[in-house]
Amino acid sequence: MTITETHALAPTWVDVCPFDWLISGRGVCALVGGRQVAVFRVDDELFALSNFDPFSQSFVLSRGIAGSRGDRLKVASPIFKQSFDLHTGACLDDATVSVATYAARVSDGQVQVACP
Amino acid sequence: MSGRRRTLVVAGNGMVGHRLLETLVERGATAEWDIVTFCEEPRVAYDRVALSSLFAGASPEDLELVRPGFFEQVGLSVHVGDAVTTLDRERGCVVSQRGVRVDYDAVVLATGSVPFVPPVPGRDARGCFVYRTVDDLEAIRDFATATGCRVGAVVGGGLLGLEAANALKSLGLETHVVEFAPRLMPAQIDDRGSAALRSRVEELGVVVHTGTATSEIVRGSDGRVKGMRFTAASPQGAAPEDLSVDLVVFSAGIRPRDDLARSAGLAMGERGGVVVDEACRTSDPAVYAIGECALAVGRLWGLVAPGYQMAAVVADRILGGDRSFTGSDLSTKLKLMGVDVASFGDAFGTTPGAEAITFDDPVTKVYKRVVVGPAPAAADGRTSGRTSGRTSGTTSVRPVLGGILVGDATMYDTLVQMSRGAMPTPERLELLIFPARTTGEGAGAGLGVGALAGNALICSCNTVTKEQICAAVADGCTDVAGVKACTRAGTGCGGCIPLVSGLVRHELLAAGVEVRNDLCEHFAFSRQELFDIVRAQRIGSFSELLSAHGRGRGCEICKPAVASMLATLGDAYILDGEQASLQDTNDHFLANLQRDGTYSVVPRVPGGEITPDQLIAIGHVAKDFGLYTKITGGQRIDLFGARVDQLPHIWQRLVDAGMESGHAYGKALRTVKSCVGRNWCRFGVQDSTALAIDLELRYRGLRSPHKVKAAVSGCSRECAEAQSKDFGVIATEQGWNLYVCGNGGLKPQHGVLLASDIDRETVIRYLDRFLMFYIRTADRLERTATWLNKLDGGLDYLRRVVVDDCLGLCAEFEVDMARHVAGYRCEWKATIEDPERMARFRTFVNSDRTDDNVVFVTERGQPRPAYAHEKPDPALLALGGTP
Ligand SMILES: Cc1cc2nc3c(=O)[nH]c(=O)nc-3n(C[C@H](O)[C@H](O)[C@H](O)COP(=O)(O)OP(=O)(O)OC[C@H]3O[C@@H](n4cnc5c(N)ncnc54)[C@H](O)[C@@H]3O)c2cc1C
Ligand code: SF4
């Protein structure tokens, strides 16, 4: 590995796919700076969190079903069905567990995720 | 406390040793301690109690007790396949077989037991086994199958001996049990209980020899077991005849694994076992012993629950606490070869003044014995002054002390609670044996969960009381799963789950919580109610249903459930439009998600009939894509290890070879299995294969509340096992018999006969109606067997609906089914024909790279997903994958 840039001031935004391509309630997986990021669309909102499911230790969260619990938006892991808050990455079934979240935006119709 | 990290060595990663590790980690001990575990067996801890399930279809992986990633945590390490051989107390170190040396601050011995093999000549012949570890069981199975054994014998008729006998039966051997004592399970049950058990066991075809001592194992010239010789256990008995056998399992008790402690000079019990005090500390304060190797409170404890209690005590002591082990309850309830057997408290009535009430029914072979103590003398002064001629209401109640139950253990939980004093004993003692079914005198006298005292022990494996469970419910747990997660109750042997579930329901009702059958938080309707709404109001999408009848945004429960209803009632491709967002990942990718995130693919093989060309095509596909192949129970071939991006290419090849989706991923019809029937079999009376193919093609793709499995047999010999299926058809001379609502799986249940000697058209008509009735009225994830058990009116009612059309709905059912049949399309084909749909099958939307966290290793010549310890550090992986 070669380190090219160590401290960029603004995040680098990585293209994911056209916004129209996303289906509300479903996710896709993007590679962002070598990391697997699960990107979800719920109605017109965008979310990005780690694709890693700590319970099954596999990279699958993008393949879960998004929905709500109470007034929190969440996605359920397709393996053992634990739910994660789409805003914060916190697991709703086990307070000691959470996954990373990333900034996401739409720019010129393209979904982009910030590369940390 | 000094900042130095300390080292704890744990010898043994069995059930108890592992529980200790879990408790230490949970309580944060790894902040101060490095914990080094030596695990002699080639695999880390597994559920030994469930060992016999290996002969009932479970795999060693199903028994694993170690969470993935557990040993990767900071402060933990494990040496698998390496035993501690020296405990050098002077130098304060242990040395292992492979030469690993660890300096310790404390040691815990959790080395368990070994089976005792009586010193009879020939006991080391090939074909002699013990029954303790996964390796033992695999060796038994391999030997029996490789050498074509016919007859097997178990030496020892105790609990484990009978389990071993059951295992031999399941391998298809003629099975003998040889017991020295005059009866089976001499330690737990009395003569009459034993007699009831014996006749039940014999009904299953096991030959029982009691009062018989094995004197020699006869060896053939090839070194293999050939036979057994016996002597009578008592001088009066006649000498039993020799027996020809091919395989012998010794199960004549266990002995503590105390060799390590002995050579280290620790204090030992007279008959073995490492002596420990109430802190579970040995004669060396830096060394603890727990589980089956420990001699605690003056005895050995051969069950897992006391071992778990010792583990909790040691974890507490290591962290500076003062918990003590002061003994444990040895009550046991088990199912041996399908027979309930329970023994608890003072089962034999050795307490002075004890008397027993017994019930012994030689016809049903049920035996119950409840031991009661003398009435407490004049406890409240009333016993001396009888006020009327009747004793009722005047004598004090006699306490339950213990008991034995064989053949029917439904009263076990209640009786154990009474014997612990946690529940009042009824005055009419016969109620102990015949619980009153309706209200009436004595009925309320403490036979329900409500009558349990707060400190009543519900889960003895994990020491969870009624109070703790009630507190969990008060804190918001509303089901057994929740209570399990927050109290651990029911996570040991699982025997207390009915009690836990009863308690949860009782507490919810008492709290005024209506126990409803709502699908989830987004819909205040049961699945059946929702189905009726969708159908009656011709609702065409989830969002329409949600805005009209629900709230919130939906979830992983209601979305797939509604998608399934829409699929049953409509005929659209299941990934069209909004439907795509509702499906579980399996339905979304039309394949089965496996634990590592890859998928498996199953092409349909109707009726299990497959051409050589199709077999070759499947073989080529598996080879070209590097897939693991396995024959399924439903007579088809499962291909494992496909990445998302490979799926459409695999389907293309299978479709080109004339195959289609097998819907193994859906809650849908899976297979209609069949035997070859009349075309080949000399017994067959009808063409079972042809009917199976027709039925499979008719109902393929039919979405339902749960998977549906079916079979057709060509005669009453029933080689296709149709009676264990959701629907099953068996040929008769006159036509076909139709069975429904059978179930294998978790809770096997035989199908019931819905109609006999009917013709082909009638079979199909009844099945159309039956399936649609089930799909409309069952709960989510409810198999047909459970559905029938809950159906008011049971089989009679089902027959009136399906055969006599008492609801007048049959025409509707048939129309719905006709629409399904006409609208069927192969979902794989529909996907590969459409470039836009194909585009969804990518691992990464913005890159063509593949997922390099999916790692395979080769086992038995095929790939399988790597386990955590075979992969790079998961902490690194979590960061995002590629280094
Ligand atoms: C078929 C079967 C059915 C059973 N059913 C029940 C039941 O229904 N209910 C019940 O309560 N109990 C049941 N038991 C008993 C139960 O399994 C034991 O009580 C329990 O496993 C004891 O746990 P342990 O950790 O003390 O010993 P074990 O589970 O035997 O673990 C000890 C481990 O330590 C290892 N070891 C030994 N010496 C060393 C060393 N020097 N260095 C490193 N490792 C070492 C051994 O190889 C072993 O893996 C059953 C047992 C069997 C075999
Ligand atoms: S069920 Fe009857 S017809 Fe079918 S294979 Fe068995 S014996 Fe032959």
Coordinates of all heavy atoms in Angstrom, one line a residue, chain B residues 11-17 38-41 48-49 51-52 82-84 110-113 131-132 160 163 257 260 290-292 302-305 334, ligand 1:
Chain B
A11 N -7.8 -25.3 31.7 CA -7.5 -26.6 31.1 C -8.9 -27.2 30.8 O -9.6 -27.6 31.6 CB -6.7 -27.5 32.0
G12 N -9.2 -27.3 29.5 CA -10.4 -27.9 29.1 C -11.4 -26.9 28.5 O -11.7 -25.9 29.2
N13 N -11.8 -27.1 27.3 CA -12.8 -26.2 26.7 C -14.1 -27.0 26.4 O -14.5 -27.1 25.3 CB -12.2 -25.5 25.4 CG -13.2 -24.4 24.9 OD1 -13.5 -24.4 23.7 ND2 -13.6 -23.5 25.7
G14 N -14.6 -27.6 27.4 CA -15.9 -28.4 27.3 C -17.0 -27.4 27.6 O -16.8 -26.2 27.6
M15 N -18.1 -28.0 28.0 CA -19.3 -27.1 28.2 C -19.1 -26.2 29.4 O -19.4 -25.0 29.3 CB -20.5 -28.0 28.5 CG -20.9 -28.9 27.3 SD -22.4 -29.7 27.5 CE -23.6 -28.4 27.2
V16 N -18.5 -26.7 30.5 CA -18.3 -25.9 31.7 C -17.2 -24.9 31.5 O -17.3 -23.7 31.9 CB -18.1 -26.8 32.9 CG1 -17.8 -26.0 34.1 CG2 -19.4 -27.7 33.1
G17 N -16.1 -25.4 31.0 CA -14.9 -24.5 30.8 C -15.3 -23.3 29.9 O -14.9 -22.2 30.1
F38 N -6.6 -24.3 27.0 CA -6.1 -25.5 26.3 C -7.3 -26.4 26.0 O -8.1 -26.7 26.9 CB -5.1 -26.2 27.1 CG -3.8 -25.5 27.1 CD1 -3.5 -24.5 28.0 CD2 -2.8 -25.8 26.1 CE1 -2.3 -23.9 28.0 CE2 -1.6 -25.1 26.1 CZ -1.3 -24.1 27.0
C39 N -7.5 -26.8 24.8 CA -8.7 -27.6 24.4 C -8.1 -28.8 23.8 O -7.6 -28.8 22.7 CB -9.5 -26.7 23.4 SG -10.8 -27.6 22.6
E40 N -8.3 -29.9 24.5 CA -7.7 -31.2 24.0 C -8.4 -31.7 22.7 O -7.7 -32.2 21.8 CB -7.9 -32.2 25.1 CG -7.4 -33.6 24.8 CD -7.8 -34.6 25.9 OE1 -9.0 -34.7 26.2 OE2 -6.9 -35.3 26.4
E41 N -9.7 -31.5 22.6 CA -10.4 -32.0 21.5 C -10.0 -31.2 20.2 O -9.6 -30.0 20.4 CB -11.9 -32.0 21.7 CG -12.3 -33.1 22.7 CD -13.8 -33.2 22.9 OE1 -14.5 -33.4 21.8 OE2 -14.3 -33.0 24.0
R48 N -22.4 -30.9 24.3 CA -22.3 -32.4 24.5 C -23.6 -33.0 24.8 O -23.9 -34.1 24.5 CB -21.3 -32.7 25.6 CG -20.7 -34.1 25.6 CD -19.7 -34.3 26.7 NE -18.6 -33.4 26.7 CZ -17.6 -33.4 25.8 NH1 -17.5 -34.2 24.8 NH2 -16.6 -32.5 25.9
V49 N -24.5 -32.2 25.6 CA -25.8 -32.7 25.9 C -26.6 -33.1 24.7 O -27.4 -34.1 24.7 CB -26.5 -31.7 26.8 CG1 -28.0 -32.0 27.0 CG2 -25.8 -31.5 28.1
L51 N -25.3 -34.2 22.0 CA -24.4 -35.0 21.1 C -25.2 -36.0 20.2 O -24.9 -36.2 19.0 CB -23.5 -35.8 22.0 CG -22.3 -36.4 21.4 CD1 -21.4 -35.4 20.8 CD2 -21.5 -37.2 22.5
S52 N -26.2 -36.7 20.8 CA -26.9 -37.7 20.0 C -27.7 -37.1 18.8 O -28.0 -37.9 17.9 CB -27.9 -38.4 20.9 OG -27.2 -39.2 21.9
D82 N -4.7 -29.4 21.8 CA -3.5 -29.4 22.7 C -4.0 -29.5 24.1 O -4.8 -28.7 24.6 CB -2.7 -28.2 22.4 CG -1.3 -28.4 23.0 OD1 -0.9 -29.5 23.4 OD2 -0.5 -27.4 23.0
A83 N -3.5 -30.5 24.9 CA -3.9 -30.7 26.2 C -2.8 -30.3 27.2 O -1.6 -30.4 26.9 CB -4.2 -32.2 26.5
V84 N -3.2 -29.8 28.4 CA -2.2 -29.6 29.4 C -1.7 -30.9 29.9 O -2.5 -31.8 30.3 CB -2.8 -28.8 30.6 CG1 -1.8 -28.6 31.7 CG2 -3.3 -27.4 30.1
A110 N -11.0 -27.8 34.1 CA -12.3 -28.0 33.6 C -12.2 -29.2 32.7 O -12.6 -29.1 31.5 CB -13.0 -26.8 33.0
T111 N -11.7 -30.3 33.2 CA -11.3 -31.4 32.3 C -12.4 -32.5 32.1 O -12.1 -33.4 31.4 CB -10.0 -32.0 32.8 OG1 -10.2 -32.3 34.2 CG2 -8.8 -31.1 32.6
G112 N -13.5 -32.3 32.8 CA -14.6 -33.2 32.5 C -14.4 -34.6 33.0 O -13.7 -34.9 34.0
S113 N -14.9 -35.6 32.2 CA -14.9 -37.0 32.6 C -14.4 -37.8 31.4 O -14.4 -37.3 30.3 CB -16.3 -37.5 33.0 OG -16.8 -36.8 34.0
Y131 N -18.8 -43.4 24.1 CA -19.8 -42.4 23.6 C -19.7 -41.1 24.4 O -20.4 -40.9 25.4 CB -21.2 -43.1 23.8 CG -22.3 -42.5 23.0 CD1 -22.6 -43.0 21.7 CD2 -23.2 -41.6 23.6 CE1 -23.6 -42.5 21.0 CE2 -24.3 -41.1 22.9 CZ -24.5 -41.5 21.6 OH -25.5 -41.1 20.8
R132 N -18.8 -40.3 24.0 CA -18.6 -39.1 24.8 C -18.3 -37.8 23.9 O -18.7 -36.7 24.3 CB -17.3 -39.3 25.7 CG -16.9 -38.1 26.5 CD -17.7 -38.0 27.8 NE -17.5 -36.7 28.4 CZ -18.2 -36.3 29.5 NH1 -19.1 -37.0 30.0 NH2 -18.0 -35.1 30.0
L160 N -27.0 -42.7 29.5 CA -26.2 -42.6 28.3 C -26.2 -43.9 27.5 O -26.2 -43.8 26.3 CB -24.7 -42.3 28.7 CG -24.5 -40.9 29.3 CD1 -23.1 -40.7 29.6 CD2 -25.1 -39.8 28.4
E163 N -29.2 -43.8 25.3 CA -29.0 -42.8 24.2 C -28.1 -43.5 23.1 O -28.4 -43.4 21.9 CB -28.3 -41.6 24.7 CG -29.3 -40.5 25.1 CD -28.7 -39.1 25.0 OE1 -27.9 -38.8 24.1 OE2 -29.0 -38.3 25.9
R257 N -11.8 -36.8 35.0 CA -10.5 -36.7 34.4 C -9.6 -36.0 35.4 O -9.5 -34.7 35.3 CB -10.6 -35.8 33.1 CG -11.0 -36.4 31.8 CD -10.0 -37.4 31.3 NE -8.8 -36.9 30.8 CZ -8.6 -36.4 29.5 NH1 -9.6 -36.4 28.7 NH2 -7.5 -36.0 29.1
L260 N -4.3 -35.0 35.7 CA -3.4 -33.9 35.8 C -3.3 -33.4 37.2 O -2.2 -33.1 37.7 CB -4.0 -32.8 34.9 CG -3.2 -31.5 34.7 CD1 -1.9 -31.8 34.0 CD2 -4.1 -30.5 33.8
I290 N -13.7 -27.2 38.2 CA -15.1 -27.1 38.0 C -15.6 -28.2 37.1 O -14.9 -28.7 36.3 CB -15.5 -25.7 37.4 CG1 -14.7 -25.4 36.1 CG2 -15.2 -24.6 38.5 CD1 -15.1 -24.1 35.5
G291 N -16.9 -28.4 37.1 CA -17.6 -29.3 36.2 C -17.4 -30.8 36.7 O -17.2 -31.0 37.9
E292 N -17.4 -31.7 35.7 CA -17.4 -33.1 36.1 C -16.1 -33.6 36.7 O -16.1 -34.7 37.3 CB -17.7 -33.9 34.9 CG -19.2 -33.8 34.5 CD -19.6 -34.8 33.4 OE1 -18.8 -35.4 32.8 OE2 -20.9 -35.0 33.3
G302 N -22.6 -35.2 37.8 CA -22.5 -35.6 36.4 C -23.4 -34.9 35.5 O -23.8 -35.5 34.5
L303 N -23.9 -33.7 35.8 CA -24.8 -33.0 34.9 C -24.2 -31.6 34.6 O -23.3 -31.1 35.3 CB -26.2 -32.8 35.6 CG -27.0 -34.1 35.8 CD1 -28.2 -33.8 36.6 CD2 -27.3 -34.7 34.5
V304 N -24.8 -31.0 33.6 CA -24.2 -29.7 33.2 C -24.7 -28.6 34.1 O -23.9 -27.6 34.3 CB -24.5 -29.5 31.7 CG1 -26.0 -29.1 31.4 CG2 -23.6 -28.5 31.1
A305 N -25.9 -28.6 34.6 CA -26.3 -27.5 35.4 C -25.4 -27.2 36.6 O -25.0 -26.0 36.8 CB -27.8 -27.7 35.8
L334 N -36.0 -36.3 30.8 CA -35.4 -36.6 29.5 C -36.4 -37.3 28.6 O -37.4 -37.9 29.1 CB -34.1 -37.3 29.5 CG -33.7 -37.9 30.8 CD1 -33.6 -39.4 30.7 CD2 -32.4 -37.3 31.1
Ligands
LIG1 C1 -24.3 -38.3 25.2 C2 -24.4 -37.4 26.4 C3 -25.6 -36.9 26.8 C4 -25.7 -36.1 27.9 N1 -26.9 -35.6 28.3 C5 -27.0 -34.8 29.4 C6 -28.2 -34.2 29.8 O1 -29.3 -34.5 29.2 N2 -28.2 -33.4 30.9 C7 -27.1 -33.1 31.5 O2 -27.2 -32.3 32.5 N3 -25.9 -33.6 31.2 C8 -25.8 -34.5 30.1 N4 -24.6 -35.0 29.8 C9 -23.4 -34.7 30.6 C10 -22.8 -33.3 30.2 O3 -22.5 -33.3 28.9 C11 -21.6 -33.0 31.1 O4 -22.1 -32.9 32.4 C12 -20.9 -31.7 30.7 O5 -20.5 -31.8 29.4 C13 -19.7 -31.5 31.7 O6 -19.0 -30.4 31.3 P1 -17.4 -30.4 31.6 O7 -17.0 -29.1 30.9 O8 -17.2 -30.6 33.0 O9 -16.8 -31.6 30.8 P2 -16.6 -31.8 29.2 O10 -17.8 -31.2 28.5 O11 -16.4 -33.3 29.1 O12 -15.4 -31.0 28.8 C14 -14.1 -31.4 29.3 C15 -13.1 -31.1 28.1 O13 -11.8 -31.0 28.6 C16 -10.9 -31.6 27.8 N5 -9.7 -32.0 28.6 C17 -9.5 -33.0 29.5 N6 -8.3 -32.9 30.0 C18 -7.7 -31.9 29.4 C19 -6.4 -31.3 29.5 N7 -5.5 -31.8 30.4 N8 -6.0 -30.3 28.8 C20 -6.9 -29.7 27.9 N9 -8.2 -30.2 27.8 C21 -8.5 -31.3 28.5 C22 -11.7 -32.8 27.3 O14 -11.2 -33.3 26.1 C23 -13.1 -32.1 27.1 O15 -13.1 -31.6 25.8 C24 -24.5 -35.8 28.7 C25 -23.3 -36.3 28.2 C26 -23.2 -37.1 27.1 C27 -21.9 -37.7 26.7

